[in-house]
Amino acid sequence: MIQITPQPLTAAAFAPFGDILDCSGDADKIINQGMCGRFHDRAQIEVGEGAAGISLFNATPRSFPYTLNMMERHPLGSQAFIPMHEHAFLVIVAQDSGDAPATPQAFITAPGQAVNYFANTWHGVLTPLQAPGLFAVVDRIVPADLDCDNLQEYWYDNPYIVGP
Amino acid sequence: MIQITPQPLTAAAFAPFGDILDCSGDADKIINQGMCGRFHDRAQIEVGEGAAGISLFNATPRSFPYTLNMMERHPLGSQAFIPMHEHAFLVIVAQDSGDAPATPQAFITAPGQAVNYFANTWHGVLTPLQAPGLFAVVDRIVPADLDCDNLQEYWYDNPYIVGP
């Protein structure tokens, strides 16, 4: 089994895979009589002819060493994960290599960071590292008959081990 | 000045104004090999012919007694506020009465609750009650020339006082 060491999540490293949503840099606009900064339109939402929706995901926390035995991707739309807490979580992504994930890369978020995966980007399942594993998810709401078209899984014969 | 006492946020009380996004009840779907519940498509996103986007709002916390001197509404789209923390926040809404807000109603969220205001619903500005005042906001991304069409403010000659 191959070990993968998570790295801090940075915009440069994550650029091929999606957007980081955080309050780095100056606000785009100051609103509410000076009391609020708006960091505007930070995710490239892709939903094709469909519509985006907001769902909540409540996931069981994982721990290190984490066994990565599967990655998935959603061809029909992007998918944003917004933590409803201040805890770091684990993000695993991979480039595509002939309709399979290339070597995965693992990242640890900083508090206040959300991520948006581009459509068709290989990623691990939601992996909070402590409770509550609660996230708001903004993704394409696909009709039930397209559900199968929007999920591809790749299972490893030899899982990766992710841990510091 | 008239005092308003915030009430716990419940779906029944909030129904005229918008959606509560939380994990009450059973998950709509269990995903990720049994490790995650999906509470599916919980917000009625309204963006007309436009598109929804994700922005981050970083707001200064307020304290009680809170002076409510203005309410606003967005005719062109809904607006969801997703706390990126586990703290309660203050939600103030009002029915419409002849293009002005009727008597405001104030609510305190529970941890794990987000809200989505329907389009054209009178609401107070974002009022976290402790730091960090960080929220992801899902609303209509309007072109700059429509910005003014999407914000109506109503200023009170006699502000309300909100507090327990």
Side-chain angles (χ1 to χ4, degrees):
Chain A
M1 288 187 293
I2 300 175
Q3 168 105 13
I4 297 173
T5 305
Q7 305 296 319
L9 184 64
T10 65
F14 197 64
F17 309 108
D19 309 294
I20 299 176
L21 290 70
D22 63 17
C23 290
S24 57
D26 293 331
D28 297 292
K29 195 174 178 182
I30 301 297
I31 59 175
N32 298 353
Q33 298 76 53
M35 299 292 273
C36 185
R38 179 175 177 128
F39 298 78
H40 183 69
D41 196 16
R42 293 295 174 109
Q44 299 171 64
I45 295 180
E46 304 165 277
V47 290
E49 299 297 305
I54 309 174
S55 302
L56 263 55
F57 280 24
N58 196 8
T60 303
R62 312 298 180 104
S63 56
F64 293 126
Y66 171 69
T67 301
L68 177 70
N69 52 18
M70 190 270 285
M71 294 189 80
E72 62 181 37
R73 61 178 180 177
H74 308 295
L76 301 186
S78 58
Q79 192 173 43
F81 289 86
I82 300 161
M84 293 178 68
H85 51 74
E86 298 174 68
H87 309 305
F89 59 101
L90 178 62
V91 171
I92 304 174
V93 287
Q95 306 261 17
D96 182 66
S97 175
D99 282 332
T103 304
Q105 296 180 52
F107 299 98
I108 301 279
T109 63
Q113 285 184 325
V115 297
N116 180 53
Y117 298 128
F118 297 147
N120 220 28
T121 296
W122 291 109
H123 61 274
V125 299
L126 183 57
T127 40
L129 297 171
Q130 54 190 290
L134 183 62
F135 292 74
V137 174
V138 178
D139 63 1
R140 182 172 178 174
I141 303 300
V142 293
D145 61 343
L146 289 181
D147 254 3
C148 295
D149 295 338
N150 197 30
L151 175 61
Q152 295 177 5
E153 295 182 346
Y154 186 92
W155 288 81
Y156 294 107
D157 291 330
N158 297 303
Y160 290 88
I161 296 297
V162 181
Chain B
M1 288 188 290
I2 301 176
Q3 168 105 12
I4 298 173
T5 304
Q7 305 297 319
L9 184 64
T10 65
F14 197 64
F17 309 108
D19 309 294
I20 299 176
L21 290 71
D22 62 18
C23 290
S24 56
D26 292 332
D28 297 292
K29 195 173 178 182
I30 302 297
I31 59 174
N32 300 351
Q33 297 76 55
M35 299 293 272
C36 185
R38 179 175 177 127
F39 298 77
H40 183 69
D41 197 16
R42 294 294 173 109
Q44 299 172 63
I45 295 181
E46 304 165 277
V47 290
E49 299 296 305
I54 310 173
S55 302
L56 263 54
F57 281 23
N58 195 8
T60 303
R62 313 297 180 103
S63 55
F64 293 126
Y66 170 68
T67 302
L68 176 70
N69 51 19
M70 190 269 286
M71 295 188 80
E72 63 182 34
R73 62 178 179 175
H74 308 295
L76 300 186
S78 58
Q79 192 174 42
F81 288 87
I82 301 161
M84 293 178 69
H85 51 74
E86 297 175 68
H87 308 306
F89 59 100
L90 177 64
V91 171
I92 304 174
V93 287
Q95 305 260 20
D96 182 67
S97 176
D99 281 331
T103 304
Q105 297 181 50
F107 299 99
I108 300 280
T109 64
Q113 285 184 325
V115 297
N116 180 54
Y117 299 129
F118 297 146
N120 219 29
T121 296
W122 291 109
H123 60 275
V125 299
L126 182 57
T127 39
L129 297 171
Q130 56 190 290
L134 184 63
F135 292 75
V137 175
V138 178
D139 63 2
R140 182 173 178 173
I141 303 300
V142 294
D145 61 343
L146 289 181
D147 253 5
C148 295
D149 295 338
N150 198 30
L151 176 61
Q152 295 177 6
E153 295 182 345
Y154 186 93
W155 288 83
Y156 293 108
D157 292 329
N158 297 302
Y160 290 89
I161 296 296
V162 181

